[in-house]
Amino acid sequence: MRANKLALLNLSKMPKDVRYFVNEIDEELRSKGFTLYLSSGASVKNDCGMCGGYFDSFGKTLAVATNVTVERFISLLCHEFSHYAQAKDKTSIWYDEKINNNHSKFFYWLGGAKHYKTWELVQAAIELEKDCEKRALKLIRRRFSHIISPEEYSRRASIYLFGYIFVHETGKWFTKDLYQQPILDACKPVLRRKYEVIPP
């Protein structure tokens, strides 16, 4: 695990079962040559800008911000660990070559690369992320529904997935908090089959 004193202090304030889960993840990642990075801030920096966390299969890093609420921390950790689970599962969508390539190209496009079929890229990104959200939701139901309700997580997951359409429209990664109460209230507490048009 890579974490400074402040990140470890933030972690020490989390419930015992959350800290135990972090240790489990750290051991699993280390056994496969990956590093768990805990940021002391409310975000971490990646190629597209600032975000709550990321999983980098090439750089072998799973990163999560710790200066957030326990609900947010669990959401981020379960989501990023679910990306690791996708990469570990040889039968997962992660190994669908077209989807994975287009998911990567979507982020290259955000970084300034030229691409003419950007809608295909964003839909591939959404498909890969939706599978990740389903895995994270199972994990939350099994271990952390006492901290964040599956319905609340589903609302947040839907906002994130619709957010990819917004990012496609603007050509920029999120710069503001997506999870505002009026938006949360408007979301259904279940994952949708398709994410193609942002509803009013």
Side-chain angles (χ1 to χ4, degrees):
M1 184 187 311
R2 202 158 56 89
N4 65 20
K5 284 182 181 177
L6 184 53
L8 292 173
L9 178 64
N10 292 340
L11 183 62
S12 73
K13 296 174 184 175
M14 301 280 177
K16 189 176 180 180
D17 56 344
V18 173
R19 297 195 310 269
Y20 184 76
F21 185 54
V22 169
N23 287 332
E24 273 182 49
I25 288 176
D26 185 42
E27 285 177 22
E28 166 69 19
L29 291 175
R30 274 191 291 122
S31 75
K32 303 297 182 190
F34 284 79
T35 300
L36 174 61
Y37 168 61
L38 299 179
S39 160
S40 59
S43 57
V44 292
K45 187 169 179 16
N46 70 7
D47 294 340
C48 295
M50 303 305 284
C51 61
Y54 64 83
F55 172 69
D56 178 357
S57 62
F58 297 108
K60 294 202 162 191
T61 303
L62 191 157
V64 182
T66 62
N67 192 17
V68 292
T69 65
V70 66
E71 295 87 359
R72 177 82 173 132
F73 181 74
I74 281 296
S75 296
L76 291 167
L77 190 59
C78 287
H79 178 88
E80 301 309 336
F81 188 63
S82 293
H83 275 312
Y84 167 78
Q86 284 178 316
K88 190 179 172 186
D89 176 5
K90 301 292 185 188
T91 66
S92 81
I93 195 170
W94 190 272
Y95 291 93
D96 181 313
E97 197 172 327
K98 186 176 180 183
I99 286 179
N100 202 311
N101 285 342
N102 281 348
H103 178 268
S104 296
K105 286 176 185 175
F106 175 72
F107 287 98
Y108 293 142
W109 171 73
L110 271 184
K114 298 284 182 206
H115 204 284
Y116 299 101
K117 295 183 178 178
T118 55
W119 184 246
E120 284 182 19
L121 305 186
V122 75
Q123 282 302 307
I126 288 170
E127 281 304 305
L128 192 134
E129 292 293 339
K130 187 171 69 171
D131 177 78
C132 178
E133 295 295 12
K134 287 178 180 177
R135 290 167 184 263
L137 200 48
K138 281 182 185 174
L139 192 51
I140 285 166
R141 281 193 178 111
R142 196 167 68 242
R143 296 189 63 167
F144 297 110
S145 58
H146 62 292
I147 292 176
I148 180 168
S149 77
E151 292 78 15
E152 177 71 8
Y153 185 86
S154 295
R155 285 187 177 95
R156 289 175 172 271
S158 278
I159 291 170
Y160 180 64
L161 293 169
F162 279 126
Y164 271 82
I165 299 169
F166 179 75
V167 168
H168 177 254
E169 290 171 1
T170 61
K172 294 178 183 174
W173 192 248
F174 315 112
T175 55
K176 294 183 179 178
D177 181 24
L178 298 176
Y179 310 107
Q180 297 171 36
Q181 201 57 51
I183 302 173
L184 283 163
D185 292 342
C187 273
K188 293 180 180 177
V190 291
L191 292 177
R192 294 175 177 236
R193 268 185 56 248
K194 290 186 177 182
Y195 291 84
E196 294 178 338
V197 178
I198 302 173

